[in-house]
């Protein structure tokens, strides 16, 4: 059975705090008490990351909080396939993923990309694109508002003329 070992590194030896067996196929990780794995520290977001067992592999997903998630020292931005002995970092919390049945092999690389880059640098594509889309939408809205204010300032339009009749009068 796969498991996460929560530990702290020190110069002398590692201190193991907890071993968490991955008994469900979907695990939520964060500081919220409703999560499966609760990490009560200010640096961990209420819903920080998720683990899901898909197609015979454990997939780690950062849930977009400001703390970030890294695997083997590389920040992940989308779903990321885990293999035995991968080191997961959630802020300053370190978790070692252990599942001897899921060793990294050439038959199943970490990413669906055909690139020659190092496999540990390649997150799988996922739902993270939504955050970028929301940011672009917000930027467009602010640009339109800015242009309307500038046009009103120079007397090109009157903003009151753009309002519906029940608000304008």
């Amino acid at each position: 059975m796969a498991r996460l070992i929560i530990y702290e590194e020190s110069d002398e030896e590692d201190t193991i705090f907890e071993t968490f067996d991955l008994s469900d196929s979907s695990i939520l990780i964060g500081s919220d008490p409703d999560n499966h794995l609760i990490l009560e520290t200010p640096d961990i977001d209420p819903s920080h990351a998720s683990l899901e067992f898909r197609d015979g592999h454990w997939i780690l997903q950062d849930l977009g909080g400001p703390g970030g998630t890294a695997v083997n020292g590389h920040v992940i931005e989308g779903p990321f396939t885990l293999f035995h002995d991968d080191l997961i970092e959630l802020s300053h919390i370190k978790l070692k993923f252990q599942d001897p049945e899921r060793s990294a092999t050439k038959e199943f690389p970490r990413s669906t990309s055909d690139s020659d880059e190092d496999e540990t640098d390649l997150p799988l594509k996922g739902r993270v694109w939504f955050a970028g889309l929301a940011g672009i939408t917000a930027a467009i809205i602010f640009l339109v508002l800015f242009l309307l204010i500038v046009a009103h300032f120079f007397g090109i339009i009157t903003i009151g003329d753009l309002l519906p009749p029940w608000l304008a009068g």
Side-chain angles (χ1 to χ4, degrees):
M1 174 183 288
R3 64 184 179 166
L4 294 173
I5 298 175
I6 305 165
Y7 71 99
E8 179 178 46
E9 289 182 351
S10 68
D11 293 335
E12 296 155 12
E13 67 179 53
D14 294 346
T15 303
I16 296 176
F17 293 114
E18 182 180 351
T19 299
F20 183 83
D21 291 329
L22 301 177
S23 56
D24 291 333
S25 62
S26 181
I27 307 289
L28 290 175
I29 304 169
S31 61
D32 190 280
D34 291 334
N35 290 320
H36 300 94
L37 177 55
I38 302 165
L39 302 172
E40 294 179 12
T41 179
D43 298 338
I44 300 296
D45 303 317
S47 295
H48 196 103
S50 68
L51 267 172
E52 186 176 338
F53 192 70
R54 278 190 258 159
D55 300 323
H57 297 279
W58 283 98
I59 308 295
L60 176 67
Q61 170 80 43
D62 179 71
L63 297 178
T69 302
V71 177
N72 299 327
H74 301 281
V75 175
I76 64 169
E77 296 179 4
F80 192 88
T81 303
L82 292 175
F83 293 106
H84 181 66
D85 282 340
D86 277 345
L87 175 64
I88 303 167
E89 296 175 73
L90 307 174
S91 185
H92 70 281
I93 304 290
K94 296 184 186 311
L95 306 104
K96 182 166 277 205
F97 174 77
Q98 290 194 334
D99 189 359
E101 297 176 16
R102 310 285 178 239
S103 297
T105 63
K106 292 287 184 187
E107 291 82 33
F108 188 82
R110 292 181 186 267
S111 172
T112 57
S113 171
D114 293 327
S115 172
D116 291 327
E117 294 178 30
D118 182 17
E119 290 177 350
T120 59
D121 291 334
L122 297 174
L124 297 174
K125 301 292 182 209
R127 297 170 281 195
V128 177
W129 63 269
F130 183 76
L133 181 63
I136 291 170
T137 303
I140 290 171
I141 290 170
F142 286 120
L143 177 65
V144 168
L145 287 173
F146 175 76
L147 291 174
L148 285 172
I149 292 169
V150 169
H152 179 77
F153 179 77
F154 287 111
I156 299 172
I157 63 168
T158 303
I159 292 182
D161 293 342
L162 301 174
L163 297 174
W166 61 88
L167 289 177

